[in-house]
Amino acid sequence: MKETNHKDMSDEELIDQTFQELLNDYLATKHRKRVEIITKAFNFANQAHKGIKRRSGEPYIMHPLAVAKIVCNEIGLGSTSICSALLHDVVEDTDYTVEDIENLFGPKIAQIVDGLTKISGGIFGDKASAQAENFKKLLLTMSSDIRVILIKIADRLHNMRTLGSLLPAKQLKIAGETLYIYAPLANRLGLHKIKTELENLSFKYEHPEEYEQIEKKLQATAAERDEVFQQFTAPIRVQLDKMGLKYRLLARIKSIYSIWNKMQTKHVPFDEIYDLLAVRIIFEPRNADEELNDCFDIYVSISKLYKPHPDRLRDWVSHPKANGYQALHVTLMGPNGQWIEVQIRSNRMNDVAEQGFAAHWKYKEGGGGEDEGELEKWLRTIKEILDDPQPDAIDFLDTIKLNLFASEIFVFTPKGEIKTMPQHATALDFAFSLHTDIGSHCIGAKVNHKLVPLSHKLQSGDQVEILTSKSQRVQPQWLVFATTAKARAKISAILKKEQKSAQKKGETTLNEFLLKEDIRPESVNYDRLLSLHNIRTKEELLAEVGKGAITLGDEDKNAIKGKQNSNWKKFLTFSFGNTKSAKTDEPQETAAKEKINPKKVLKITEDAIQKNYIIATCCSPIPGDDVLGYMDEDEKVIIHKRQCPVAVKLKTSYGNRIIATKWDTHKSSLSFLVNLYIRGIDSVGIMNDVTQVISRQLNVNIRKLNVETNDGIFEGKIQLYVHDVDDVKRVITKLLKIPNVKTVNRVEE
């Protein structure tokens, strides 16, 4: 993609040149050449945003232009979408209305611009509201026109590319939302390239040092990888030439974010990631009907050259993924004894893989009608969830995220119909996917004619028969078994309904009891009952009474009338992080509170940790970790690791309370607990060597040591007191020098 040279150019020249580039890009596509309407949209938007600058100092119109270029080049959409991208901020940021857009550009563009305006949180203004709420709006809009979400993803991609000009706290909030919402959404829509870039950019802002380290390591090993690629593909080229195919061979390098993710989840160093390189064969089919056969012919011919891995053939050709992705993946043993994945795709499949659903339009005559079979299914599921939304925005987000999977399994009904389910789906999920009635009366299932419980995880190729009973009712623990959004939403709705009727019944019972005992129905009396039964809310109490779990009697009467010590407990709940109440008897509350400026980077000093800040127990960050602060309702700052799951939710839903933070403790006297995972070959005295290194050589205190040996391999966890991340690195380096110690990693508890 050509980049504009900004130097020595007036704003007008820069804008005109960028628009000309957009037109040239559009004219190079297969879409109908509707230059006039695009020019009209550009002139209108340029006039509307005149004189307004972005934070980076460039004219505001450069943002809509950049989004339109992404929409055209990277997503492959036509004039309607390009116009909508150019106009997407006009209604939000100027006095023009959707009606004005409709009068000038027609109902279709107006509808898309309206959709984009509805879901805009004003992320770059002060109107940044909870993203979860915006996401709900976004999905509602999506169901009317998929282009809304595609343009929104393009908008987010440009925002991520220009994130450097924003305040640090804003950067963390936007990067967090991007990883949590937009990257999975792009993935689900098949926009693989964009999903990868969004993940990489988010990672770059959240963990700049680790990003740089991996980037340097990738550069250092590039020549070696190139040599492997040339050696591996030389015989493949010969084979493909013999078949008379037009093709190109590409090396695909694992993205920086994927590498880091694998290092975290598998606890392995960079050097032990062996699938950095994959090979892509992109071919022109001999004729349209032979496309699938050609894929398998290529597979057969290359598997004569290299031995294929028996368990790693992925046939997405016969069964495309729900996001439309089609390819044949095979893993071959390369000449250097290394497994290399080969992805076989036709040009059409490659376009679908890069541009997702938008590529389907490219293969329609004149970029016209849209075929969205799988997408329609997905949107239907989302509509079902939206019909019965969770009251809590975060629950809702989690429920939706369950549906943003890319890995699917294929299962069969007893009659042989094929059903696509997400990976890890259970028999209960399958029951709800058939019908809510079947799900709610489900007592078990037969998988491949064998009886299994509802929690049984299904595998691809299973044949599943659901067993039901009229007397069966939905159980609360089903929420643990269910993994799909639809099943969880339905179970929650049924449980809520039952809870409501139990509350109603409980209210009648409780009122009758109070009337009989001549006790006034006052809140202080309810509080005494809550305290007696150790229940937090009046609703819970009523439900328990309604279900018959609590029988009201003399004990309740005495507790209300104060005839016994009712052991009053205050239930203080904090949103996230540390549950230690700030409301203790310590005199620190009277000390003057430090006023925190959310626009500045907060320095975490030793003194501040003890007085003002709380270290989150969910991820236990230590000095040197990439962290952020979250200001709770009491203006206490809770410090989380940036990749901690709780922090991810906070960035997404409470972005305005996020504070950019940085350690300033140097070598403090404070000690922090960390967990190390250690693995190696068992030998006499190995544990003695480990403890000697930690305690004697490095003078680090061990708090806990758990070790197990199994068939000559030992593995265990060591809990240590350290001052900062440098201490951890020193311990790990020293331990790895002990003979027979093979792996040492820092892990969460």
Side-chain angles (χ1 to χ4, degrees), residues 558-721:
N558 293 337
I560 294 171
K561 291 182 175 172
K563 290 184 183 168
Q564 68 177 50
N565 175 15
S566 63
N567 183 22
W568 174 246
K569 283 181 189 171
K570 275 198 171 71
F571 288 92
L572 295 167
T573 56
F574 288 88
S575 301
F576 294 94
N578 200 321
T579 51
K580 287 176 194 161
S581 166
K583 300 179 180 170
T584 57
D585 298 330
E586 292 169 33
Q588 68 188 47
E589 282 299 313
T590 53
K593 250 188 188 171
E594 181 192 347
K595 196 76 192 135
I596 288 157
N597 179 357
K599 292 193 174 178
K600 288 196 174 147
V601 177
L602 185 68
K603 287 192 173 164
I604 313 170
T605 59
E606 185 178 336
D607 200 33
I609 293 171
Q610 290 167 313
K611 282 188 187 162
N612 301 323
Y613 311 146
I614 298 167
I615 299 291
T617 49
C618 49
C619 55
S620 310
I622 66 172
D625 282 332
D626 289 330
V627 287
L628 54 78
Y630 163 71
M631 196 188 282
D632 71 6
E633 293 87 340
D634 294 346
E635 296 203 345
K636 275 268 181 193
V637 175
I638 301 168
I639 309 295
H640 287 273
K641 275 192 198 169
R642 287 184 194 169
Q643 78 268 28
C644 156
V646 172
V648 172
K649 286 190 184 182
L650 293 174
K651 283 177 282 192
T652 307
S653 299
Y654 298 98
N656 301 339
R657 291 191 187 175
I658 294 297
I659 293 158
T661 51
K662 156 162 135 203
W663 295 102
D664 189 20
T665 51
H666 309 296
K667 277 287 172 200
S668 74
S669 58
L670 290 178
S671 288
F672 299 85
L673 269 179
V674 296
N675 294 287
L676 295 185
Y677 166 78
I678 183 165
R679 192 165 192 264
I681 295 161
D682 195 16
S683 58
V684 178
I686 185 92
M687 275 346 285
N688 187 34
D689 295 345
V690 168
T691 50
Q692 286 277 3
V693 163
I694 298 171
S695 305
R696 293 269 173 89
Q697 289 186 30
L698 299 169
N699 204 17
V700 171
N701 277 333
I702 299 176
R703 185 192 178 207
K704 212 195 295 181
L705 181 61
N706 282 335
V707 180
E708 279 181 22
T709 58
N710 199 358
D711 294 338
I713 299 290
F714 81 88
E715 60 180 335
K717 262 193 188 170
I718 309 170
Q719 210 173 51
L720 311 168
Y721 283 105

Side-chain angles (χ1 to χ4, degrees), residues 2-274:
K2 297 192 293 286
E3 279 303 316
T4 315
N5 181 14
H6 292 200
K7 287 174 188 165
D8 313 321
M9 234 189 245
S10 71
D11 282 353
E12 276 73 23
E13 286 172 324
L14 175 66
I15 293 165
D16 285 344
Q17 183 178 322
T18 311
F19 176 60
Q20 208 44 58
E21 285 172 15
L22 170 66
L23 276 187
N24 295 341
D25 291 343
Y26 170 66
L27 289 168
T29 67
K30 290 181 184 171
H31 289 282
R32 293 191 294 270
K33 308 293 177 250
R34 300 179 61 204
V35 173
E36 205 174 295
I37 193 160
I38 294 176
T39 310
K40 184 178 170 186
F42 162 69
N43 289 332
F44 181 75
N46 195 12
Q47 202 48 51
H49 294 301
K50 211 165 194 60
I52 300 165
K53 301 265 185 188
R54 292 189 88 204
R55 253 193 93 92
S56 57
E58 63 179 14
Y60 192 87
I61 187 68
M62 294 300 287
H63 168 63
L65 275 168
V67 175
K69 278 173 101 173
I70 294 169
V71 163
C72 175
N73 296 326
E74 297 176 56
I75 307 182
L77 296 172
S79 58
T80 304
S81 303
I82 293 170
C83 291
S84 305
L86 288 168
L87 300 165
H88 80 270
D89 277 336
V90 167
V91 176
E92 172 87 15
D93 296 337
T94 72
D95 296 332
Y96 289 106
T97 64
V98 175
E99 285 72 33
D100 297 332
I101 305 279
E102 185 166 356
N103 293 336
L104 284 163
F105 299 97
K108 193 79 224 164
I109 290 174
Q111 186 192 352
I112 296 172
V113 171
D114 187 32
L116 287 160
T117 307
K118 278 198 186 99
I119 56 178
S120 167
I123 284 167
F124 286 89
D126 300 321
K127 297 169 281 187
S129 60
Q131 273 306 104
E133 287 305 324
N134 290 340
F135 193 50
K136 208 179 273 192
K137 289 186 213 159
L138 174 132
L139 291 165
L140 282 163
T141 320
M142 223 176 125
S143 35
S144 61
D145 194 323
I146 187 65
R147 285 175 290 196
V148 171
I149 186 63
L150 291 168
I151 298 166
K152 186 65 191 169
I153 287 172
D155 179 42
R156 175 50 60 115
L157 179 59
H158 185 245
N159 287 344
M160 286 304 295
R161 285 175 179 171
T162 55
L163 201 55
S165 57
L166 289 189
L167 296 168
K170 270 276 176 63
Q171 289 179 350
L172 291 179
K173 163 185 155 32
I174 291 170
E177 278 166 20
T178 301
L179 264 187
Y180 193 63
I181 296 174
Y182 290 93
L185 200 49
N187 188 36
R188 181 58 196 222
L189 294 169
L191 301 166
H192 186 75
K193 226 172 161 184
I194 289 179
K195 166 236 175 191
T196 305
E197 190 178 346
L198 287 173
E199 286 175 343
N200 274 347
L201 287 167
S202 300
F203 176 50
K204 188 179 180 178
Y205 284 100
E206 297 225 299
H207 303 283
E209 284 174 25
E210 282 158 303
Y211 182 91
E212 208 178 310
Q213 280 169 6
I214 296 173
E215 194 174 35
K216 279 183 182 156
K217 282 178 181 169
L218 276 176
Q219 284 164 358
T221 53
E224 193 186 315
R225 264 195 315 277
D226 191 49
E227 200 176 315
V228 171
F229 175 72
Q230 299 304 343
Q231 270 182 357
F232 180 74
T233 54
I236 293 178
R237 287 178 198 277
V238 174
Q239 207 63 22
L240 294 174
D241 289 339
K242 268 188 207 165
M243 293 171 71
L245 283 167
K246 280 187 188 166
Y247 64 89
R248 52 205 163 104
L249 290 176
L250 303 175
R252 188 233 59 182
I253 309 302
K254 207 173 183 64
S255 78
I256 293 179
Y257 174 75
S258 303
I259 292 169
W260 177 78
N261 220 2
K262 194 159 188 179
M263 285 162 70
Q264 300 298 308
T265 51
K266 296 266 194 283
H267 304 308
V268 292
F270 179 88
D271 313 329
E272 284 180 33
I273 293 179
Y274 298 115

Side-chain angles (χ1 to χ4, degrees), residues 512-544:
E512 283 170 2
F513 170 77
L514 295 175
L515 196 66
K516 190 176 117 199
E517 298 296 341
D518 198 23
I519 298 167
R520 292 168 70 89
E522 292 170 341
S523 61
V524 66
N525 291 333
Y526 288 129
D527 286 347
R528 285 174 181 150
L529 281 175
L530 292 176
S531 161
L532 174 71
H533 294 289
N534 210 359
I535 287 174
R536 287 169 56 175
T537 65
K538 184 184 168 186
E539 286 72 23
E540 269 179 72
L541 176 73
L542 295 176
E544 293 299 298

Side-chain angles (χ1 to χ4, degrees), residues 432-469:
F432 274 98
S433 77
L434 297 172
H435 198 279
T436 307
D437 271 356
I438 297 175
S440 52
H441 293 107
C442 172
I443 50 169
K446 279 185 173 178
V447 172
N448 305 328
H449 311 294
K450 283 187 187 148
L451 200 60
V452 296
L454 296 179
S455 56
H456 176 83
K457 270 192 188 166
L458 301 175
Q459 305 289 325
S460 223
D462 281 348
Q463 191 165 21
V464 189
E465 181 189 348
I466 300 297
L467 308 172
T468 58
S469 159

Side-chain angles (χ1 to χ4, degrees), residues 469-482:
S469 159
K470 282 269 190 323
S471 59
Q472 176 67 297
R473 293 181 48 206
V474 172
Q475 310 295 319
Q477 68 265 34
W478 284 12
L479 283 168
V480 182
F481 307 153

